Amino acid sequence: MNIQGKLAILADAAKYDASCASSGTERRDSLGGRGLGSTEGMGICHSYAPDGRCISLLKILLTNFCQYDCLYCVNRVTSNVPRARFSVDEVVQLTLDFYRRNCIEGLFLSSGIIQSPDYTMEQVVEVARVLREEHDFRGYIHLKTIPDAAPELLARAGRYADRLSINIELPTETGLATLAPEKDAPAIKRSMARLRVHIDDAKEAAKGDEAVVSMPKSRPKRAKAERFAPAGQSTQMIVGADAADDRAILATSAQLYGSYRLRRVYYSAFSPIPDAASSLPLKPPPLVREHRLYQADWLMRFYGFGHEEIVASDDGLLRLDVDPKLAWALAHRERFPVDLNRAPRELLLRVPGLGAKAVERVLAARRVRRLRSDDLKRLSVPLGKALPFLLLPDHKPRVIDDAQVAAALKPAPVQVQAALFA
């Protein structure tokens, strides 16, 4: 098989890794010579740097051969799909070629498990090593690590990669044992813990010891700290493949953020695959459920919400008709309206329509004057969403029921996921 054939198979197989945000749009392509561009292609995805810059990544698998039989995975050993495998040199050459053509700024590399977890991890790490040491490649590298691999290999991976990730796969250990019996939930968490230790140690070392003078009259110079995955670690969780509800999913995320200091938890709505097992659902969950989980995740990380208070329903699921912050506000009407000129930051962050940046602007502005509704407009706050929950000198919200508020703020319908993964 030539390199183009391998690229078509292994780039397509990598699209199920959701560590980028370039999904969910409508289906468009330029087949037939009409138009320019495509929303369906795979192989290049996008990630975001800490400064908000969008980075294009070559996103591929080293191989889609896999000795595991995870029921939800299209690359499982019993799956009837075309197989391919890159050599280390082929991945390196592809990365350099795309980079020199200014198509990408880095590499996202994952792999099926072949021969053994250690052998697979060695191959993945070798790609990064050759790029860094032999070609002085300074672009972004994200490696998907194999949780059962030896700790020494994970440590080597961190020397070359900007970000490492280990998929938690499913929200509960019971779900993992049912759908992926060959994977070991404690081993996954052990690997996350090892990465956290390495990352913390590298950060501590980077703070620097005292500069030393090695030669008389020479300038003090500090030794450079050893590099280890400066962009941290992330993980991915499949939503809707098992019976875990949103409450369980968010509880798992909170535990991962707290215990292992993950940078991100990605949520991937289950997508039906060819020749799927009978124990899997026939349809994917609504894409909006995945979207609501990302919104809830945002509330936990930046708005001070606890995972246990976001989902209030008896069925353990997030409301799909309104976002989680508005749902919480509607369920706690006794906390509103909030006096914009007196409320503490923690309470302002819970007002629908007030984002984290808007709250900081409000706090800065009210030091010099009492804010009115026109001031909120100048701060780009969506008045229709925020005013029903705010008390201002020129505004007092009228009492309306939850159904009226929810109907007024209900977002436009979102397309179904079938458009992306059909």
Side-chain angles (χ1 to χ4, degrees), residues 168 192 235 237 252-262 265:
I168 193 75
M192 287 181 173
T235 192
M237 200 183 308
T252 299
S253 297
Q255 196 254 338
L256 293 174
Y257 284 127
S259 300
Y260 309 109
R261 293 184 187 168
L262 298 190
V265 175

Side-chain angles (χ1 to χ4, degrees), residues 83 153 338 366:
R83 306 285 184 173
L153 290 169
V338 169
R366 76 183 192 184

Side-chain angles (χ1 to χ4, degrees), residues 266-302:
Y266 291 93
Y267 304 94
S268 176
F270 167 71
S271 179
I273 55 178
D275 305 320
S278 58
S279 57
L280 292 173
L282 297 176
K283 294 182 178 180
L287 184 58
V288 69
R289 183 184 175 193
E290 179 186 292
H291 180 60
R292 296 293 182 228
L293 283 168
Y294 276 113
Q295 290 178 319
D297 185 280
W298 205 260
L299 293 183
M300 290 194 297
R301 292 193 292 145
F302 301 108

Side-chain angles (χ1 to χ4, degrees), residues 103-117:
C103 298
I104 61 167
E105 296 171 82
L107 170 68
F108 175 97
L109 183 61
S110 183
S111 180
I113 298 174
I114 47 175
Q115 294 191 25
S116 70

Side-chain angles (χ1 to χ4, degrees), residues 10 31 47-48 79 92 104 109 117 280 312 323 325 361 369 374-375 387 407:
L10 295 173
L31 294 178
S47 186
Y48 291 89
S79 181
V92 170
I104 61 167
L109 183 61
L280 292 173
D323 67 71
K325 191 176 181 183
R361 290 170 182 162
R369 57 175 295 183
D374 282 348
D375 296 315
L387 285 182

